Amino acid sequence: MTNKGIARKVITACTEVFGVTRKDILGRSRKAEIVTARHSAIWLCYKYLDMTCSQIGTEFNRDRTLVIYAIKMVENRIACDGLFGLNLFAVELKLFK
């Protein structure tokens, strides 16, 4: 499976765990729950796929600077929010089952 196909699976897994739609993740909404799901999907693509920030940004209709920002935000949140870390783990379980 290509990186683009896997990125789609990451988005789908995030929609299931975070309770948002694919359209939400790829859209422009700035609601906290949607941004959390979007940033999580971006971070998972960064962590598991051999894609540049520009390539990830293209998948999410964003530029590379937002991808960099999302990665930093998720890494900071993992360090201080255990529940958020559990949600990411739930997404990873869906991806690798």
Side-chain angles (χ1 to χ4, degrees):
M1 184 176 289
T2 66
N3 279 343
K4 286 187 177 202
I6 297 170
R8 288 186 188 107
K9 287 183 76 170
V10 168
I11 292 169
T12 300
C14 284
T15 63
E16 294 170 4
V17 170
F18 290 99
V20 298
T21 67
R22 179 179 187 78
K23 185 177 177 182
D24 289 335
I25 288 179
L26 299 177
R28 292 287 174 195
S29 175
R30 294 179 0 185
K31 290 183 179 178
E33 63 273 7
I34 295 171
V35 171
T36 296
R38 182 184 303 130
H39 285 184
S40 298
I42 289 170
W43 180 79
L44 288 163
C45 287
Y46 175 77
K47 181 177 178 183
Y48 290 110
L49 304 178
D50 186 29
M51 295 172 77
T52 65
C53 289
S54 293
Q55 291 169 325
I56 294 169
T58 299
E59 286 297 309
F60 288 86
N61 303 316
R62 301 292 189 279
D63 69 6
R64 65 178 180 79
T65 58
L66 181 118
V67 172
I68 294 165
Y69 174 78
I71 292 165
K72 288 179 183 178
M73 293 305 294
V74 169
E75 289 175 349
N76 288 338
R77 192 160 174 195
I78 289 170
C80 63
D81 184 350
L83 182 58
F84 178 70
L86 288 175
N87 283 335
L88 283 177
F89 183 67
V91 175
E92 290 172 323
L93 286 176
K94 286 187 173 291
L95 289 173
F96 298 113
K97 67 176 178 176

